[in-house]
Structures are given as C-alpha cells and as structure tokens.
Amino acid sequence: MLMVATLVRTHCPYCSLQCGITLETDRSGVTLAPQPDFPTNRGGLCAKGWTAAELLGHPERLTGPLIRDARDGPLRPASWDEALDRIAREFRHAGLEYGPDSVGCFGGGGLTNEKAYQLGKFVRVVLGSSAIDYNGRFCMSAAATAAQRAFGVDRGLPFPLADLAEADVILLVGANPADTMPPAMRFLDECRARGGRLIVVDPRRTATAALADLHLQPVPGTDLAIANGMLHVAVREGLIDDDYIAARTTGFAAVRRGVRLYWPDRVERITGVPEADLVAAARMLGGARRVIVLTARGAEQHSTGTDTVSAFINLALALGLPGREYAGFASITGQGNGQGGREHGQKADQLPGYRRLDDPAAREHIAAVWGVPAASLPQPGRSAYEMLDALGTPGGVRALWVLASNVAVSAPHAGRIRERLGQLDFLVVSDIFRSETAEFADVVLPSAQWAEESGTLTNLEGRVILRNRAVPPPPEVRTDLEALSALADRLGHSGFHDDPAEVFAELCRASSGGKADYTGISHARIAAEQGVFWPCPSPRHPGTPRLFTVDFPTPDRRARFHAVEHRGPAETPDADYPYYLTTGRLAGHYQSGTQTRRVGRLRDAEPVATVQLHDSLALRLGVREGDPVRLRTRRGTAVLTARISADVRADTVFAPFHWGGPASANLLTNPVLDPHSRMPEFKVCAVAVDKYVPA
Ligand code: SF4
C-alpha cells in the first residue's frame, strides 16, 4: 500500500525568530523545509534549523523514565508509574518536613506558553509554594524590567521585525544576529540596500559588526556611558525631539541634567570609544527620522543591566522614536519562547497575563480562574540564581523539578550551582537528552519534543505562533503537560488539563484584561493569519503589531525617562586577574548545547570550546592557534582551545557558553545580580589567562 506523505506547518525548536518550517513525513522519515512565506524567515533557515529533524530520532535521546535508587548509584530504567509515585512521595515528604517552599520548580524559556502557564499554576496551586523561576531570568529580565518601567509594558519588539528593513539608521547594542539568527539579517540587508546605515556597539568585531557603517568597540560593561554620551551630544546639538518629549513623556529634566556630565572626551576615557566616533554615531541617529535602537544580551547581562537598557530607552525617547513609524526601541529576545515564557506565570514574581503576583487585583482575577482563594496564592519567591544558590540550605528548596533547562552549564558560577544540586534531597529533571543537570537527578523524565507535540509560543515580536505535532513521540515518552497533569493528580489535584488546546483556552481566559492579553487568539486564527500579535482582547480584535502609536500603557499614558549613571562592572581587571572575560554564543550552537552538541553537522563545525583572544595577547602569552588556554577567575578555572583573532579587544577574551565539563565558561562568570531585575553579570568579569600545560 502506498503511504501518502503528510505536510505539517510548524516552527524551529530553537531561537526566538521561530522560523516557519514545513515538515514532510512519509515512510522514509521526516524531511524539513523552510516556509517561504513566514514573515520572520521568508524561506531562510540557519544551520540549526536545517538540522533540527536530527533531534527526533537521535540515538542518545531519552526514551523512558530513569530512577536512581541510591545517591551514588546509577540511573536505571523505570516505568512512568514508578517514577511519578516516587516524585509524589518525595515532594509530599519535603513539604511536610520543611514547609511548602522547600519544593520548587525551575522552568525554561523554551517551554511552550501552555507549559509555562501550567507550571506556574502547578507550583502555586498544587505545591502551594513560592519557589518557581526559570532560565529566562538569565536572558531577558533586565530588558523586561527597563521596558516595564519606561513604557508600562514589555514586549521585546513592539513592532514587526520587518520594520527593520524600512529604517534609515539602526543602532544595535550587544547583538550579533549574523551568527545567532541569520535569517533575520535579510531585514538589515534590505535596510542597507535602501541606503540605511548600521551602527554596532560590541567589544568584538563580530560578523554583524563587520557589516556596520560604524562599529563602536567599548570596554566590556561600559555601554551605559555610551548611551548617555550619545544623548549628551544629541542635546548639545539640538537633535532631540522637544515636541515629542513634551507631549508623550515625563522625567526628561533629570535625564537632561544627568547627561550634561557625559562629555565625549570623558566617555572616551570610560569606554575607550574615540570621541569622534561617539559624536558621529549621535549625529547619525539624530539626523534621521526612521531610527531603531536595539539592545540584546551584550548590553543587558550586567549588574547594571536594567539601567543600561534604560539609558538606551532614554536616548530613543529623547529622539522621539517609540510609536513613530519604522522607528522605536526594542530588545531582541533570545530563547524560542523567551517572550511567552515570561508572560504566563513561571517567573517568581508574576502571574498569567503578565500580571504581578503582589498585585491584589491580579491575585483575585487569577485565583478565580484557578478556582482557589486569592489568599492561598503564595507571595513572590526567590529569583533564579538566588533559588539555585540556596538549594539544600535551611529555608531553601530541598526537592526540585527542573524542566527544559540545564543549570549545571547555563547558570553563572556553575561550579557553585553543581555543588548546590548535589546538596538537594531530591532532584527531578525533564528533558530530551541526559543533560549535565540530569546527571545529578534522582528521577529523569523523558520529554516529547518540538515536532511531537502541539503548543503555542510567542516570538520576539510578540507574535503568538503555533507549533503543530507532526510525528508521535516514542512510546515511553510523554509531554511535559502530561507529566504535570499526572503528578498533580497524585498530589490530590485532578482536572489539570494535559491537552494543549484546553490549556491554551484556560490561559487565554487567565490573560484577559492583563497586559499580555490573549483573549481573542485561537489556534484557527494563528493558522489563518500566520500568528497573532498580543494584545488581542477579543476575537474581533485584529491584534496589535505596533505598540505605542497613540499612547503608552502607563497611568498617565506617557513614557517615563529614568536618570541613570555609569557604574561599571562589579569586577575590573587588576594585577591578579588582568583581563576582561566576556561570554556569548556561536553560530552553530544553542544555549547550553544539550541539543546542538549532539547534532553531527553542528558538532563537526564547532567540536570544542574555544576562547577568542587577540593576536597581541596570544603573542605575549606564547599561545598559538589551537593551544589549550587556562582561564581563571575568582570563582573557578576552565580550559579552552585558543582561537586567535584581531576581532576582539586586546584587553578582552571571549568564551562561548555552550559546553559542559571543565570547558564551561560559566565556571568563571560572576553571579553578582542587577538590583532591579536580578539578572546576573554573565557578560563581564576579571580573568587571568595563560597557556595550559597539563601536569
Ligand atoms: Fe531556528 Fe533561530 Fe535558526 Fe531560525 S534563526 S532556523 S528559529 S535557530
């Protein structure tokens, strides 16, 4: 009998661009092609997307639950019933022994909206615990906090990505889309082909910076001074939009006073960026009408992250950009559901609809949807690093469930976090592969993956999209929704849906009236309209591709300036640790590398962890290309392979964070937190560098 091939429209399992993909399944397996008409990729995919089908039948994937009987014993195969019974027993025991906050969950920015929503509900309703946060805290929290306080809402891009193609000038701060999301480069290319200009701020001459009309290459951790310096020049030269400032904003007087001190020669002394380049950049921005200012992790993952983003928002507001056609401020989200992941309640301080957990009205609304008394909902708990740092301590979490996150590799000061994981009474990990974090687990649950389940995600533009199931998961693999529902049942809470469509319907009701309002969104609309932009408060509402065109969702409908001062990073080089370390991503890998290190073509392109160091530094250290190099910080040591280049500052080394074991860049990073967002300072610390000679 002939088997007819089926075609399913879905999306890439990786980054926030959520490129449209068509999967064709037949007797020979699954083949994959980009959707030519999906708005963010228009027929493009990067190497990660092209190879994503390899994850589905991968020989190393988890195909059934695993249990460890004794702390030092091996993981052995188990049934779902045995695994779930064990988890329920251990969670119940920890809760009775140490109180509800001793049981917690750590989620991920790759979870679908439905899973993020259900996980938040599970922790607050079933466990009665405040202990929940997720790896998005390490990703977007600084930008989200700055956007909330300036605009009253946080949507990464408050306009469609395609607007970039229509801009006259784009300022890109700490972002390298040429490597991290290559299909998005078409919009920058179209912009430049129209005569638009690109300014890039980055300590490295990245593939994106190499295309720039102007590349500012600052000392790591000094972006805030650059923004204040540009605003100083814009004020001095009359480039700001006084009418916009008067009509649509508050708080500019204090900012204007503050930036007076950011003379370009002083900014040059702080940042190393030549005065003339700073002035040229400010004039480029102030001399054009369609200007887009974009930040990403390079500017945001700092102990000054929120204030740094605020400084760039101040610049954008002073130039009158937010709400203007083909202009504005935005932050580029990284993870696949980095945007949706922070809207539905898996963050320590939030409830669905992007509501605050400490807001009495929000508690009443969500409690009514969940059918529980508002008073029973816990108060906000610890942020991601603070939760991990306290694992196994008095008052900390004793029994933890980690879903779709590999904190043993991705958390800052990873050596400390590995120690803390070892101190837990009980650890459950749900994942596709046996990650480095799973090696600490007492129970490992195998998760269905991207093409094996349906669910919605919200991309970097705030466009809600739908991943469709194309193939069934292996027989002993379940979806995380099924695992949540079964565990809730064992803990005495029946009625937790495991069908994504039913969870989405409940999520939409919960979001009603919130900032991220999904009320009018349905699977049918998503399919028909290639995604729907929130807010979309009713079925007849068209969705909102562009925010702020009329006003801002603040109490007085105006955007708010915040005066901010350069403080610099928590650690700067000294005699013992004489260089800056900065971390980031490579083109062929994603996050902690759990998936991409297992994909042949990606692994072959970047098989080992490398450290990028300048020719002059390599010469001084006697290091040649390919030599092992030892990096030491106050927190740990890592050994990586030298990649010598003139593309990084001579005082700075760059290490990607995609590897586990002794090559983990996060063994080195500084967990000092931004006071506003609790974002750790991944992007800069002081490091000692030498050629590694094995003993
Ligand atoms: Fe996937 Fe992102 Fe690459 Fe697109 S750019 S194919 S979403 S990893």
Side-chain angles (χ1 to χ4, degrees), residues 14 47-48 51 54 58-60 433 586-590 593-609 643 659:
Y14 296 113
K48 298 188 288 291
T51 55
E54 229 182 276
H58 198 286
E60 289 177 44
F433 293 108
L586 300 176
H589 286 291
Y590 184 69
T594 308
Q595 296 163 88
T596 53
R597 279 185 274 129
R598 290 176 163 90
V599 175
R601 188 172 136 200
L602 304 177
R603 184 184 55 233
D604 293 347
E606 289 284 353
V608 295
R643 181 168 285 172
W659 278 269

Side-chain angles (χ1 to χ4, degrees), residues 479-502:
T479 70
D480 295 333
L481 286 180
E482 289 170 334
L484 278 161
S485 171
L487 196 55
D489 205 33
R490 277 168 170 75
L491 292 169
H493 289 260
S494 57
F496 260 65
H497 301 300
D498 59 10
D499 174 52
E502 286 181 297

Side-chain angles (χ1 to χ4, degrees), residues 342-364:
R342 62 189 191 264
E343 296 168 359
H344 305 296
Q346 70 171 326
K347 210 171 169 189
D349 47 1
Q350 284 179 348
L351 288 172
Y354 225 147
R355 293 177 164 90
R356 291 186 58 87
L357 184 51
D358 58 6
D359 172 1
R363 294 170 67 87
E364 289 291 344

Side-chain angles (χ1 to χ4, degrees), residues 133-201:
D133 213 43
Y134 80 123
N135 66 16
R137 178 76 68 174
F138 299 156
C139 182
M140 285 298 294
S141 59
T145 305
Q148 291 274 10
R149 73 183 187 181
F151 306 129
V153 70
D154 151 47
R155 201 179 84 187
L157 263 65
F159 45 75
L161 184 68
D163 280 12
L164 295 182
E166 306 300 326
D168 299 325
V169 180
I170 296 173
L171 171 63
L172 203 52
V173 189
N176 179 19
D179 279 343
T180 56
M181 46 179 68
M185 290 302 287
R186 88 164 38 231
F187 302 110
L188 293 183
D189 293 344
E190 286 175 19
C191 167
R192 290 166 57 236
R194 285 182 35 258
R197 287 173 295 172
L198 175 64
I199 306 168
V200 171
V201 180

Side-chain angles (χ1 to χ4, degrees), residues 173-175 223 295-302 304-306 308-309 312 683:
V173 189
D223 296 330
T295 64
R297 303 307 81 70
E300 299 162 8
Q301 288 178 318
H302 294 275
T304 56
T306 301
T308 298
V309 177
F312 285 99
K683 277 292 182 277

Side-chain angles (χ1 to χ4, degrees), residues 11-21 40-41 44-50 180-184 334 585 590:
H11 294 270
C12 173
Y14 296 113
C15 87
S16 65
L17 204 57
Q18 283 302 294
C19 293
I21 280 177
T40 61
N41 61 307
L45 288 181
C46 75
K48 298 188 288 291
W50 276 114
T180 56
M181 46 179 68
R585 284 172 53 188
Y590 184 69

